[in-house]
Amino acid sequence: VAADDGVMPQTREHLAILDLLQVPRGAVAITKVDRVPEERRRAVENEVAALLKPTVLAEAPLFPLSSTTGAGVPELAAHLTRTARARRRAAAGGGFRLAVDRCFTLHGTGIVVTGTAFAGSVKVGDRLLLSPAGHEVRVRGIHAQNRETHAARAGERCALNIAGTGLSKDAVHRGDWLLAADLHAPTDRLDAVVRLLPDAPAPLRDRTPMHLHLGAADVTARVSPLAGRRLEAGERGLVRLQLDRPIGALAGDRFVLRDQSAQHTVGGGYILDPAPPLRGARRPERLALLGAFETNDAAAALAGALGILVHGLALAPFLTARNLSESDRGALLTRVPLVRVGEGDAAVGFAPAHWEVLRSEILRALAAWHERHPDSPGPDPRRLRIAMTGRPPVATFDAALAALVKAGEVRREAGWVRLPGHEAQLSSADAKLWTRIEPLLDAAGLRPPRGSPRAPDP
């Protein structure tokens, strides 16, 4: 902030963006203090302090500076050095993610991309995917902190020399990601929490056109409030973002929203679900689930989701969206009480109470079928699911039925299922009729008796 100009509109917008992105550390340089009286300098400092007070940078120190006299420069340099030394290095857990902001070619080197590593680590020789295009690339070289190195990690600015079959510079765009293969999941819709700035020019209504800035990407989107039909300036709420093209995003990624003309920042927030279902966005269960996802604690989010979803939670998308390492995934699934059904990408997690209810409902529906159809060996799985109260989703039902078969509580034979103690038998009416017919058949031998034709009705 220049001491002679004071706080300008651009200053306010930059601070609003930092607050929306929840950048926790910062410092303010009050420049050109040699060009104003002491009273003016103090007035600008007070103005800046008041501006910072309601933001995440409320405790940021202020440094009066002069590039002409050098006043204040050593103090700012010392503060930046202390902060850099005291700052803990970003955790490098999870798969590698680098937000690509520039791409160029160097003679004798090939394609080079630069960006900021959001998560994980990478080393020379690793294979990554360029997302959302899906091109596989190999890392040939790395520069981090302006020097050549064999590896880079989360929190660092780095340049990666990459190569891939058929890969050209034109295939790489600002806003792409270089990431671990299992994180490649392009999406064109997102569910998120948004906070509008107090000076947002208009309420957020259904399908309001916006520019979404996430990572290094700038993509146009339609933004719709989920709880209610509008979001007023200064308010916070759940939204669905429908993007005009797919991008890469994970849960917890922060973003900024600008107006349709990309001239003014109007709000921002963070992603709750990077792959929401197409339908049912405003159903109470869905809104409750998004509420459970608002925490940064993966264990709390998982426990909350399991408590809400009576038909279980697909575990693979949940774990991928939070970019957990294999060890962290295992620890999470051990820490949170759940029943895990199925393997790999098909695994579904249930709260123990919900699993017991679903298991009981399947057994109860199967017992009711046997009672209604005692002469049938059993229903096929499709009919059994349709006969159930609540009719669980196909994948959930199949997983639960497979678990019951594995446990021996249900028998599966050919195309039908049955309870272990069930044998097909005649109904009571048919059994009485059989007691009359059987002696006649036995007495007739190979010439069964013919029944008398029924007389026509008068």
Side-chain angles (χ1 to χ4, degrees):
V1 180
D4 52 353
D5 292 332
V7 173
M8 303 295 285
Q10 189 179 45
T11 306
R12 295 180 183 275
E13 184 174 28
H14 288 174
L15 177 60
I17 291 172
L18 292 173
D19 191 43
L20 291 168
L21 296 176
Q22 291 292 287
V23 176
R25 289 175 296 275
V28 181
I30 310 295
T31 63
K32 302 181 182 179
V33 295
D34 58 307
R35 299 178 60 176
V36 299
E38 181 70 15
E39 296 78 15
R40 171 61 180 171
R41 178 182 69 80
R42 286 199 297 268
V44 171
E45 289 180 358
N46 291 335
E47 183 183 16
V48 171
L51 187 65
L52 296 178
K53 188 174 182 179
T55 74
V56 71
L57 293 177
E59 302 299 323
L62 278 59
F63 294 91
L65 303 175
S66 170
S67 61
T68 303
T69 66
V73 174
E75 290 82 358
L76 175 59
H79 170 76
L80 295 177
T81 300
R82 287 194 304 271
T83 301
R85 287 175 176 170
R87 179 178 178 270
R88 295 178 59 187
R89 297 191 70 183
F96 181 73
R97 298 177 76 209
L98 180 131
V100 176
D101 53 40
R102 199 159 57 104
C103 176
F104 53 89
T105 57
L106 291 177
H107 181 69
T109 299
I111 299 174
V112 177
V113 298
T114 67
T116 300
F118 274 44
S121 60
V122 65
K123 61 183 184 297
V124 174
D126 282 353
R127 293 191 175 275
L128 304 171
L129 281 185
L130 179 67
S131 186
H135 291 301
E136 183 178 301
V137 303
R138 180 173 59 85
V139 179
R140 300 175 59 191
I142 303 173
H143 271 73
Q145 313 303 325
N146 296 317
R147 62 179 184 274
E148 187 173 1
T149 181
H150 72 284
R153 57 180 289 153
E156 294 180 342
R157 288 282 304 172
C158 52
L160 304 184
N161 174 209
I162 60 174
T165 303
L167 182 68
S168 67
K169 174 181 175 293
D170 294 336
V172 186
H173 307 93
R174 177 181 174 87
D176 288 349
W177 293 87
L178 276 176
L179 41 70
D182 59 353
L183 297 180
H184 173 61
T187 179
D188 62 0
R189 60 183 179 272
L190 305 162
D191 282 351
V193 170
V194 159
R195 176 168 62 90
L196 294 186
L197 296 177
D199 59 354
L204 184 65
R205 295 184 173 88
D206 195 48
R207 295 184 60 77
T208 301
M210 294 277 184
H211 278 260
L212 170 74
H213 296 266
L214 189 155
D218 172 8
V219 58
T220 51
R222 298 278 177 172
V223 188
S224 301
L226 295 180
R229 293 298 177 180
R230 56 192 282 162
L231 200 62
E232 301 288 346
E235 289 186 342
R236 176 183 183 275
L238 300 172
V239 300
R240 164 69 58 89
L241 298 106
Q242 186 66 50
L243 313 183
D244 291 335
R245 61 177 175 84
I247 65 169
L250 294 182
D253 283 351
R254 291 195 168 270
F255 60 86
V256 170
L257 292 175
R258 308 198 84 205
D259 62 10
Q260 188 175 14
S261 62
Q263 296 299 308
H264 305 286
T265 301
V266 297
Y270 56 95
I271 305 300
L272 298 178
D273 188 349
L278 183 61
R279 295 180 176 83
R282 292 187 172 95
R283 290 177 180 171
E285 183 186 68
R286 178 65 189 170
L287 297 180
L289 179 64
L290 293 178
F293 284 167
E294 287 194 44
T295 176
N296 291 327
D297 185 338
L302 178 57
L306 293 176
I308 293 165
L309 300 176
V310 297
H311 291 143
L313 173 72
L315 294 175
F318 176 89
L319 298 172
T320 298
R322 281 149 188 79
N323 193 12
L324 300 176
S325 66
E326 285 299 323
S327 60
D328 287 341
R329 291 185 180 200
L332 176 65
L333 297 179
T334 301
R335 177 181 170 191
V336 177
L338 60 83
V339 176
R340 182 173 179 173
V341 182
E343 298 295 333
D345 291 343
V348 178
F350 292 85
H354 292 330
W355 167 252
E356 183 58 30
V357 169
L358 177 60
R359 186 192 73 83
S360 298
E361 286 180 350
I362 293 176
L363 296 176
R364 186 162 48 248
L366 190 51
W369 177 279
H370 290 330
E371 186 175 349
R372 291 194 305 271
H373 308 281
D375 57 341
S376 168
D380 63 71
R382 182 185 66 84
R383 288 187 178 183
L384 178 61
R385 186 183 74 86
I386 292 174
M388 289 179 61
T389 303
R391 195 174 298 180
V394 174
T396 299
F397 172 81
D398 289 346
L401 182 62
L404 288 171
V405 171
K406 184 177 181 180
E409 296 182 74
V410 172
R411 299 284 175 83
R412 191 163 193 161
E413 298 172 355
W416 62 83
V417 292
R418 65 178 177 86
L419 294 175
H422 173 74
E423 296 292 342
Q425 56 185 343
L426 295 177
S427 65
S428 57
D430 287 344
K432 289 179 181 178
L433 185 58
W434 177 245
T435 60
R436 296 170 54 193
I437 294 174
E438 185 179 21
L440 299 176
L441 293 176
D442 289 341
L446 297 179
R447 297 178 61 85
R450 294 185 179 184
S452 301
R454 181 178 177 182
D457 294 332

